Amino acid sequence: MLMVGVISTAALAAVGMSMQFMMIINVLMTLYVVGGNALISRFIGQGRKRRASALLFSLVLFAVGLSFFVTIGGYFGSNFIYEMMGAEGDVIALGASYFKIISLGIVVIFIDNLLYNALSAAGDTKSSLYIKLFSALINASLNYVLIFGHFGFEAMGIEGAAIATVISYIFNVIAYYILIKKMNSKLDFLPIVRKKDLLRVWSVGWSAALDRGISSMSFLVFVSIITAYGTAELAGYQVGLRIEGIAFMPGFGFAIAAMALVGQNIGAKNFDKAYELGQISGRIAYIFMGSVGVVMILFPEFLVGIFTKDILTIAVASKYLILVGLAQIPLAIMFVYSSALRAAGATKTTLRINVLSLWFLRVIPSYIAYKMGYGVVVIFIIMNVETLIKGVIYWYIYQRRNWLYTKV
């Protein structure tokens, strides 16, 4: 995002919008990843490595088959997707060329997501972290070479960014495979397909996928509302969202840790310990995310200026950062506690909370505010209020403990 912002505001908006499309694709990954996490963590907690390894092998086959159809749809439908979002002509042209290349790498993206989450569910979060960090370094280096044309390579602009992204995912998959096969991992690839376990994965995954799908649609509508304000507002939102991702990283990390620890202890029938570890993960997450939120509130212009020099984009993104900085603690609670519920298999509960909250507290009020002529800052305020309310709801449900005894 940092280097893409140097190309143009349109390029920045195009790549930012692709993130919203990937949220839709993540729906399909959720179908097998969330249920797979819940079962793998339970199997590991029960000491059943072979059962967990057989499930991982089955899910890899499923991911490869599913990715074929997504690749076809993404490659040939990229123009339509940007047009549907209401993007302007230059954003459509740049975005379509970017997303076509990303679509060709969907298979490695699907496998990467599966293996990363499976290893985390098995309790090996450290190795996954190192792989992701090295992958980010590869991605940044290739972005520099391919976007701007260094070391004898032709300057490829936004297409170079897409190629760099796909290559970094290929590295991830190779690294995960070596880790699983060569380093005494808690998991393996056992070539056995157990229909019963796959059905259990899908019984948990369908509600999580529906949750992600409806939520993703709400985000697309939400972004469409912001797009209606103009390219500068859209780019400002995308830059702000990417910077906020710095706060997301520890939040997601502790959410993954909570999912693994809660799932494994539920599998071992240690329900009190599962609850306590989820609470500890939540506390650490909101300390980290709250600290990053303070930085976003105090130094918004400096942070945004790293990504873009466009004055209007900086103004919008800075206002966004100040507001979301205030919402980092409830966001941390939402991340960790929702992951704990999913680890327990309580995906129907998270489905109801997320769908009702996003549509009735964020999207519909934002649309009304836009139609009434309010500025984009009001849209950001509405988004933060929805995050606060949802964080309180997840805190209340977590304290009740009923979710610990969900049958999978």
Side-chain angles (χ1 to χ4, degrees), residues 207-266:
S207 52
L210 183 60
D211 174 5
R212 184 67 64 86
I214 297 175
S215 298
S216 297
M217 288 301 298
S218 73
F219 279 117
L220 287 175
V221 175
F222 183 72
V223 173
S224 296
I225 294 170
I226 295 174
T227 303
Y229 283 96
T231 299
E233 285 77 6
L234 174 61
Y237 168 72
Q238 300 294 356
V239 170
L241 190 63
R242 180 56 65 94
I243 296 172
E244 189 185 9
I246 298 171
F248 286 177
M249 286 189 287
F252 281 136
F254 288 109
I256 291 169
M259 181 174 283
L261 294 169
V262 169
Q264 288 179 24
N265 281 281
I266 288 176

Side-chain angles (χ1 to χ4, degrees), residues 170-280:
I170 293 172
F171 164 79
N172 288 352
V173 171
I174 294 173
Y176 288 136
Y177 180 81
I178 294 173
L179 178 67
I180 290 173
K181 296 300 293 184
K182 302 294 185 182
M183 299 185 182
N184 299 318
S185 172
K186 295 181 180 181
L187 280 173
D188 200 349
F189 297 108
L190 188 62
I192 298 174
V193 176
R194 295 177 60 91
K195 183 179 177 182
K196 179 181 178 181
D197 287 345
L198 284 175
L199 291 175
R200 291 175 70 186
V201 167
W202 294 329
S203 70
V204 174
W206 76 263
S207 52
L210 183 60
D211 174 5
R212 184 67 64 86
I214 297 175
S215 298
S216 297
M217 288 301 298
S218 73
F219 279 117
L220 287 175
V221 175
F222 183 72
V223 173
S224 296
I225 294 170
I226 295 174
T227 303
Y229 283 96
T231 299
E233 285 77 6
L234 174 61
Y237 168 72
Q238 300 294 356
V239 170
L241 190 63
R242 180 56 65 94
I243 296 172
E244 189 185 9
I246 298 171
F248 286 177
M249 286 189 287
F252 281 136
F254 288 109
I256 291 169
M259 181 174 283
L261 294 169
V262 169
Q264 288 179 24
N265 281 281
I266 288 176
K269 306 298 182 183
N270 295 326
F271 297 107
D272 288 340
K273 187 175 182 181
Y275 175 83
E276 291 170 4
L277 289 172
Q279 269 199 327
I280 292 171

Side-chain angles (χ1 to χ4, degrees), residues 7 113 119 161 167 212 272 336 364 379:
I7 301 173
N113 195 278
L119 283 169
I167 292 174
R212 184 67 64 86
D272 288 340
V336 175
I364 294 176
I379 307 300

Side-chain angles (χ1 to χ4, degrees), residues 26-253:
N26 282 338
V27 173
L28 299 176
M29 290 191 278
T30 301
L31 183 64
Y32 58 87
V33 167
V34 172
N37 277 3
L39 256 68
I40 287 173
S41 61
R42 289 197 182 196
F43 288 152
I44 294 297
Q46 295 164 359
R48 303 164 75 182
K49 177 181 175 179
R50 285 178 56 85
R51 189 77 171 267
S53 299
L55 177 57
L56 178 60
F57 175 80
S58 303
L59 293 176
V60 168
L61 294 181
F62 180 78
V64 171
L66 188 61
S67 67
F68 172 78
F69 298 100
V70 178
T71 295
I72 297 299
Y75 186 85
F76 292 103
S78 54
N79 283 83
F80 171 75
I81 294 171
Y82 278 89
E83 291 172 358
M84 180 182 65
M85 285 288 293
E88 298 175 359
D90 51 349
V91 175
I92 293 173
L94 289 168
S97 64
Y98 177 84
F99 202 68
K100 282 182 178 179
I101 296 172
I102 294 294
S103 295
L104 295 175
I106 287 295
V107 63
V108 288
I109 294 174
F110 272 38
I111 297 174
D112 164 77
N113 195 278
L114 171 62
L115 298 183
Y116 170 77
N117 281 279
L119 283 169
S120 298
D124 188 2
T125 55
K126 185 181 294 185
S127 299
S128 301
L129 172 63
Y130 292 148
I131 291 171
K132 287 293 185 184
L133 289 174
F134 197 73
S135 172
L137 179 62
I138 291 174
N139 196 355
S141 301
L142 290 176
N143 274 339
Y144 175 74
V145 172
L146 299 179
I147 291 175
F148 305 114
H150 293 288
F151 304 109
F153 286 87
E154 179 184 354
M156 303 176 68
I158 197 171
E159 293 180 354
I163 293 171
T165 298
V166 172
I167 292 174
S168 66
Y169 275 111
I170 293 172
F171 164 79
N172 288 352
V173 171
I174 294 173
Y176 288 136
Y177 180 81
I178 294 173
L179 178 67
I180 290 173
K181 296 300 293 184
K182 302 294 185 182
M183 299 185 182
N184 299 318
S185 172
K186 295 181 180 181
L187 280 173
D188 200 349
F189 297 108
L190 188 62
I192 298 174
V193 176
R194 295 177 60 91
K195 183 179 177 182
K196 179 181 178 181
D197 287 345
L198 284 175
L199 291 175
R200 291 175 70 186
V201 167
W202 294 329
S203 70
V204 174
W206 76 263
S207 52
L210 183 60
D211 174 5
R212 184 67 64 86
I214 297 175
S215 298
S216 297
M217 288 301 298
S218 73
F219 279 117
L220 287 175
V221 175
F222 183 72
V223 173
S224 296
I225 294 170
I226 295 174
T227 303
Y229 283 96
T231 299
E233 285 77 6
L234 174 61
Y237 168 72
Q238 300 294 356
V239 170
L241 190 63
R242 180 56 65 94
I243 296 172
E244 189 185 9
I246 298 171
F248 286 177
M249 286 189 287
F252 281 136

Side-chain angles (χ1 to χ4, degrees), residues 10-30:
L12 191 63
V15 173
M17 290 182 74
S18 74
M19 295 165 58
Q20 312 304 322
F21 308 150
M22 288 303 298
M23 290 175 61
I24 298 294
I25 294 174
N26 282 338
V27 173
L28 299 176
M29 290 191 278
T30 301

